[in-house]
Amino acid sequence: MKLLLTRPEGRNQSMSEALSQLGVPYIITPLLEVQASKTHQDQDTIAHFNAADIIIFISTNAVEFSSQVIELKKHKTAQFYAVGDATFQALKALGIIAFAAPSDCQQTEGLLTLADLQKLTGQNVMIVRGVGGRETLAEKLTQRGAKVNYWETYQRACPAINERTPYLWHDEKVDTIIITSGEILHSLIKLVPKELFAWLRACHIIVPSSRVKEQALAYGLEQVTNAKAANSKAMLSALGLSI
């Protein structure tokens, strides 16, 4: 087994350390670039954040980019929520106590099962996310009576990658690819040329959710495993590995 790690620059360290400890070979090629959005420091949006009763962070990037602008833990009245354990841990590192989605469903659908998010009449909810995220969470919370605003603190882009890179993966006998978002999956599909698609179909693709698994299958990938979360522990477990 040889893995390809595809998280943005600087976000593959936990997985690479675990694989090195286990003696499993890997290559790192970031397939997603994350940068501050145009609304990163929008003062009207920050005012909505400061007035929120409930604040939901979609990702570690949401925590990182928002914390560059304001000191999050100074918000004394809001209840914080995290989609996924990595996001929960990022908030915890800042001294913030948050509720997280259930461990067996660390995504929007899992968060929506939490008891305190069922009846939200009159509640101001701020969702901190990247530009162009899913609308499911906001739609469901609005149906439950909440007034929802977004703070889109970052945006995603595909980094410049040499067109010969997929041939390197093939020649290096990569047979397992870690995908942690739909955007990374899309970048992978765009990058791999037609003549290497048979190789890609033969690779074991590890994804973080049922939604991304459906996307992968729709692209024609055949060996797709849902790790049910994007953190390293879940990805390793999906590979039958542990540390």
Side-chain angles (χ1 to χ4, degrees):
M1 178 168 57
K2 188 166 189 176
L3 276 69
L4 173 64
L5 307 183
T6 61
R7 282 184 182 271
E9 188 72 36
R11 296 298 175 86
N12 293 288
Q13 184 176 356
S14 174
M15 192 68 174
S16 64
E17 289 177 352
L19 293 173
S20 295
Q21 185 175 337
L22 292 166
V24 178
Y26 61 88
I27 292 175
I28 297 176
T29 307
L31 295 184
L32 190 68
E33 188 174 77
V34 182
Q35 52 196 224
S37 70
K38 294 179 180 179
T39 59
H40 182 217
Q41 300 186 51
D42 182 77
Q43 293 304 306
D44 288 340
T45 303
I46 293 171
H48 283 301
F49 178 95
N50 290 331
D53 302 301
I54 292 171
I55 301 172
I56 300 173
F57 291 85
I58 298 299
S59 65
T60 56
N61 287 318
V63 176
E64 177 182 340
F65 282 91
S66 60
S67 65
Q68 291 174 3
V69 181
I70 58 177
E71 190 173 352
L72 300 178
K73 68 178 181 180
K74 283 189 174 181
H75 201 311
K76 300 298 184 182
T77 58
Q79 178 61 64
F80 288 78
Y81 289 82
V83 178
D85 183 65
T87 307
F88 174 84
Q89 295 298 334
L91 289 169
K92 184 178 179 180
L94 294 175
I96 296 168
I97 299 173
F99 291 106
S103 59
D104 61 348
C105 189
Q106 291 190 7
Q107 52 191 293
T108 293
E109 289 74 12
L111 195 74
L112 286 166
T113 66
L114 297 181
D116 288 344
L117 294 179
Q118 301 309 304
K119 295 182 180 180
L120 298 170
T121 302
Q123 296 287 292
N124 291 312
V125 177
M126 172 61 75
I127 298 175
V128 188
R129 67 174 191 174
V131 173
R134 296 172 66 197
E135 302 300 325
T136 303
L137 181 58
E139 290 172 354
K140 293 293 186 182
L141 296 179
T142 299
Q143 291 171 9
R144 296 174 185 182
K147 181 179 179 181
V148 179
N149 287 289
Y150 287 123
W151 184 8
E152 295 182 324
T153 62
Y154 63 97
Q155 57 192 15
R156 310 168 189 86
C158 183
I161 298 174
N162 190 298
E163 63 182 12
R164 298 299 303 172
T165 298
Y167 295 92
L168 171 65
W169 300 337
H170 175 269
D171 294 345
E172 290 288 332
K173 302 189 184 307
V174 166
D175 57 11
T176 305
I177 303 176
I178 302 297
I179 299 291
T180 54
S181 71
E183 292 85 5
I184 291 177
L185 174 64
H186 182 63
S187 293
L188 176 69
I189 296 298
K190 283 180 62 178
L191 190 62
V192 174
K194 290 182 180 179
E195 59 265 31
L196 287 182
F197 213 78
W199 160 78
L200 184 59
R201 280 199 301 268
C203 286
H204 186 189
I205 311 295
I206 311 297
V207 300
S209 67
S210 55
R211 178 178 61 89
V212 180
K213 180 176 181 178
E214 289 171 4
Q215 292 174 345
L217 294 173
Y219 280 129
L221 304 182
E222 297 175 353
Q223 299 187 58
V224 185
T225 297
N226 178 10
K228 299 183 180 179
N231 61 74
S232 296
K233 182 178 179 180
M235 292 289 170
L236 290 168
S237 179
L239 291 167
L241 302 172
S242 63
I243 53 174

